[in-house]
Amino acid sequence: MTFSFHARASRRDILRAAAAGAATLSLGSQAQSAWPTKPVTVIVPFPAGGGTDAFARPLSAQFARLTGKQLIIDNRGGAGGTLGASIAAKAQPDGYTLFMGAVHHTIAPSMYPKLDYDIEKDFVPLALMANVPQVLVVNPRNMPFADFKAYIAAVRKAPGKYNYGSAGAGTSHHLAGELFKQQTKTFITHIPYRGAGPALQDLISGNVDMMFDGLGSSANHIKGGRIKALMVSGTKRNPAFPDVPCAGELGLPDYTVTTWYGMWTPKGTPADVQARIVEDLRKAATTDELKAIWASNGADFGNLTPQQFGAFVSSEVKRWSAVVKASGAKLE
């Protein structure tokens, strides 16, 4: 008999199975559409005022407008961003705790030998929220140089006289400085802080001389004249700061450092909740309001799928491992 399975399943069984399937689909749909039903916390692993904040806080405001629920920023600075990452990795995987990390978290595996989390195994990558070029900024009172040429001449003339602040040992600010020193054959003293915000405040006040910062956190201070930008990394000028020369035109064609910020959720978060989070993040990032803020900070939205973002994270872990090894950078 061609349709022999009918002999083993009554019409009632078939209808019951169909009803169960429909109920499952309905529940899945309801689960996805229900999120978020309460405020969502995003752990930012750096103190307030840093580059991550420059994007997390506008995102929080837009998220609230779109969903009707708060996106609460929880700043957990320390240990080059790894303390906050550790806390986020252990959070309940229900979609109500997110983690907004950065390029630093792909450097950390090469700098911190005893991390109690794995950025690739303990998190689910959701979205690359912002790409921001690195910028060399100086305190204009400490370093009153007209341009990069005068600056580099002074730095070479007095090895160790000047210093640079960073968000902490092993962060992109630190490695950008070490890479700069390698390529320019200079020596500048590294001063690590517990986040980009405190380092930037000390740069503005003159307690440190310079910083290799993400353009997002420095942009407003450059525009306000509190600090001076001498160079953006890469081989083209940034549209938000067209008067600032790029590394390529200053004789450093291989000096390309990008500070990027991404969103993750703890491993184990239900797939339908992941999909809804990604959908809402994408909606927020592509609003006119956030596009304008991103542009004013010299940034752009990554626009990658979660799978593409995951592959990008893996490639960055490998890339920075090579930089750490070549520079000999160590925790201080």
Side-chain angles (χ1 to χ4, degrees), residues 156-211:
R156 282 176 173 155
K157 185 178 179 181
K161 176 182 178 181
Y162 299 104
N163 56 50
Y164 74 99
S166 82
T171 61
S172 65
H173 304 80
H174 176 201
L175 270 294
E178 294 305 305
L179 191 62
F180 179 84
K181 287 157 64 174
Q182 278 184 10
Q183 295 190 8
T184 58
K185 295 179 173 57
T186 55
F187 178 71
I188 311 164
T189 304
H190 174 222
I191 310 293
Y193 285 79
R194 289 174 60 87
L200 191 55
Q201 287 305 312
D202 261 15
L203 174 65
I204 292 167
S205 64
N207 291 327
V208 292
D209 301 316
M210 69 190 84
M211 191 169 170

Side-chain angles (χ1 to χ4, degrees), residues 135-148 151 155 162-164 200 203-204 206 208-213 218 221-222 225-231:
V135 60
L136 167 60
V137 284
V138 301
N139 179 292
R141 297 183 302 280
N142 292 12
M143 306 190 82
F145 306 120
D147 53 25
F148 181 84
Y151 154 86
V155 170
Y162 299 104
N163 56 50
Y164 74 99
L200 191 55
L203 174 65
I204 292 167
V208 292
D209 301 316
M210 69 190 84
M211 191 169 170
F212 299 87
D213 193 24
S218 282
H221 300 297
I222 296 169
R226 292 178 287 277
I227 54 179
K228 183 175 181 177
L230 294 180
M231 176 190 77

Side-chain angles (χ1 to χ4, degrees), residues 235-261:
T235 56
K236 62 180 181 179
R237 297 193 179 199
N238 189 274
F241 294 89
D243 294 333
V244 179
C246 68
E249 64 189 279
L250 294 173
L252 298 171
D254 297 324
Y255 188 76
T256 301
V257 183
T258 301
T259 296
W260 53 262
Y261 304 96

